[in-house]
Amino acid sequence: MKTSLREKLEGISLKYHEIEKQLADPNIYSDQKKFKDLSVEFSKVENIVKQFNQYNKIEKNIEESKELLGSDDNDIKDMAENEIKNLKENLDELLKGLELSLLPEDPNDENNVFLEIRAGTGGLEAALFAGDLFKMYCRYAERNNWNIEKLTESPGDHGGFKQIVIKVIGKKVYSNLKFESGAHRVQRVPETESQGRVHTSAATVAVLPEVDEIEDVEINNDELRIDTFRASGAGGQHVNKTDSAIRITHLPTGCVVECQDDRSQHKNKAKALNLLKAKLLDIERNNQIKEQSKLRKSLVGSGDRSERIRTYNFPQGRITDHRINITMYNLEDFLDGNIQNMITSLVNEYQAQLLIEENI
């Protein structure tokens, strides 16, 4: 273990014992806010301290086993060698876990997300591809027992979507989907192509974490233009009778959101405002990303939706993620929602970059 890492862990251990003493003080219960904050902080460091203690214990056991290597008894020497080998494997696993536990947390990792898919270059084929991506994320959500709530959609002329916005609700949704933002490119032969030529089309994906509280993003009502209109698409006769759909324009940024999912204009307005807050927070976050380190930016990207992140090549049955230069040859299965291996690879690369950046 590096000296710098050990010093950090020893500092966390001291902090842990200080908080433990504070929580043991009966007077702490008179200040519920302080008690809650300390309890949250305690739970964050408790597991790290337990892992660190276990690491130190194994290190001690290794040193004790090394003393047996000088024995004249070959059986004892063999036993010590096997013991040291097993202990070192456990030590490596613990070290890896400790390193990751010290990485800065993304406060949005537990949040639900708004997922926007828009057809890009490619006309009808781009809309069909946007539909394919929508199905892919829906199947991935099903595999994770997440729920999907459709907010607004604009169907393509021959299938798929010109645009669709959904809310994905579940455990660690943003943590898993945050690296999906960007331009997704598809290479395939369209059904309308009579000469069998491969065409390239694109769709953009934006993944925005849901804002927990209104106070996270301040919105001045005077800076909003709110329009009502009749919902389009499926929904029975009701959609032709009332202007329940809502469009909100944030005048300072020009940001526009819509919601036509619910029959209630009030509910659609509340959902649209929530989406607007997420978008404004995303704009602010992307401005901050531009000022952060180049290492992290190289992986997460600038947030520019024109940035190509992944190519889906149908003739070769492959998917290539250009940020980490990884290619997989399970295109059909991938589009059926089996994308966890790709997501895990992205997360691992991101963590590896952070370890370097944080000097852990």
Side-chain angles (χ1 to χ4, degrees), residues 21-81:
K21 287 179 182 177
Q22 288 179 279
L23 289 174
D25 184 353
N27 296 323
I28 191 67
Y29 298 104
S30 61
D31 188 340
Q32 282 297 306
K33 185 180 184 306
K34 186 176 180 180
F35 174 73
K36 182 181 177 182
D37 291 343
L38 284 172
S39 298
V40 170
E41 196 171 2
F42 183 81
S43 64
K44 285 183 178 179
V45 298
E46 184 178 25
N47 190 50
I48 297 175
V49 172
K50 285 182 178 179
Q51 287 185 75
F52 185 41
N53 290 339
Q54 182 67 12
Y55 184 92
N56 290 331
K57 183 179 178 181
I58 292 176
E59 268 193 331
K60 185 179 179 181
N61 290 340
I62 289 175
E63 292 305 313
E64 291 174 352
S65 296
K66 283 181 178 179
E67 293 177 4
L68 299 175
L69 293 176
S71 172
D72 294 331
D73 190 322
N74 289 332
D75 289 339
I76 292 178
K77 286 176 66 174
D78 290 342
M79 181 183 70
E81 287 175 355

Side-chain angles (χ1 to χ4, degrees), residues 100-106 296 350 354 358 360:
L100 294 179
S101 68
L102 293 181
L103 291 178
E105 293 183 356
D106 187 329
R296 190 178 303 179
Y350 175 65
L354 272 184
E358 298 292 328
I360 293 175

Side-chain angles (χ1 to χ4, degrees), residues 10-22:
E10 287 173 348
I12 290 173
S13 294
L14 286 173
K15 183 179 180 182
Y16 168 81
H17 291 300
E18 288 173 3
I19 298 174
E20 193 174 36
K21 287 179 182 177
Q22 288 179 279

Side-chain angles (χ1 to χ4, degrees), residues 29-281:
Y29 298 104
S30 61
D31 188 340
Q32 282 297 306
K33 185 180 184 306
K34 186 176 180 180
F35 174 73
K36 182 181 177 182
D37 291 343
L38 284 172
S39 298
V40 170
E41 196 171 2
F42 183 81
S43 64
K44 285 183 178 179
V45 298
E46 184 178 25
N47 190 50
I48 297 175
V49 172
K50 285 182 178 179
Q51 287 185 75
F52 185 41
N53 290 339
Q54 182 67 12
Y55 184 92
N56 290 331
K57 183 179 178 181
I58 292 176
E59 268 193 331
K60 185 179 179 181
N61 290 340
I62 289 175
E63 292 305 313
E64 291 174 352
S65 296
K66 283 181 178 179
E67 293 177 4
L68 299 175
L69 293 176
S71 172
D72 294 331
D73 190 322
N74 289 332
D75 289 339
I76 292 178
K77 286 176 66 174
D78 290 342
M79 181 183 70
E81 287 175 355
N82 289 330
E83 181 73 9
I84 291 170
K85 181 183 177 183
N86 292 332
L87 288 171
K88 283 187 174 180
E89 288 177 357
N90 292 337
L91 205 65
D92 289 341
E93 286 299 315
L94 275 172
L95 180 59
K96 191 182 299 182
L98 284 167
E99 288 174 342
L100 294 179
S101 68
L102 293 181
L103 291 178
E105 293 183 356
D106 187 329
N108 296 305
D109 272 351
E110 297 287 341
N111 291 23
N112 301 325
V113 307
F114 296 103
L115 193 149
E116 301 181 352
I117 305 172
R118 297 173 184 267
T121 56
L124 300 177
E125 180 64 15
L128 292 173
F129 180 51
D132 292 337
L133 292 177
F134 167 68
K135 292 174 186 175
M136 180 183 81
Y137 290 123
C138 285
R139 290 289 294 119
Y140 180 62
E142 288 175 17
R143 292 169 185 264
N144 286 281
N145 296 315
W146 298 338
N147 294 319
I148 296 289
E149 188 178 298
K150 195 181 293 185
L151 298 183
T152 184
E153 64 178 289
S154 176
D157 295 333
H158 294 278
F161 299 99
K162 295 177 182 176
Q163 173 195 357
I164 183 164
V165 182
I166 61 176
K167 182 177 177 181
V168 187
I169 306 162
K171 185 177 180 181
K172 288 187 172 293
V173 178
Y174 185 68
S175 174
N176 282 276
L177 291 178
K178 61 184 175 183
F179 296 119
E180 293 301 298
S181 290
H184 296 239
R185 186 177 68 173
V186 62
Q187 295 172 326
R188 63 183 172 190
V189 179
E191 292 181 6
T192 55
E193 172 55 59
S194 59
Q195 310 209 3
R197 290 174 297 187
V198 175
H199 289 224
T200 299
S201 306
T204 58
V205 174
V207 179
L208 314 173
E210 182 182 27
V211 181
D212 289 332
E213 300 292 343
I214 294 176
E215 63 191 26
D216 288 343
V217 177
E218 292 184 8
I219 295 180
N220 186 341
N221 289 331
D222 293 336
E223 297 176 341
L224 301 179
R225 184 175 74 240
I226 301 177
D227 301 307
T228 59
F229 61 98
R230 291 184 182 178
S232 60
Q237 296 179 351
H238 175 83
V239 296
N240 297 318
K241 295 180 180 177
T242 62
D243 293 343
S244 61
I246 292 289
R247 181 185 295 111
I248 301 178
T249 304
H250 186 247
L251 299 176
T253 61
C255 189
V256 180
V257 296
E258 294 180 359
C259 186
Q260 53 180 297
D261 178 59
D262 206 285
R263 292 187 176 188
S264 164
Q265 186 181 109
H266 176 73
K267 290 181 178 178
N268 279 334
K269 181 180 177 181
K271 290 178 181 179
L273 278 172
N274 206 3
L275 175 57
L276 177 62
K277 286 184 289 183
K279 282 197 167 190
L280 294 177
L281 191 65

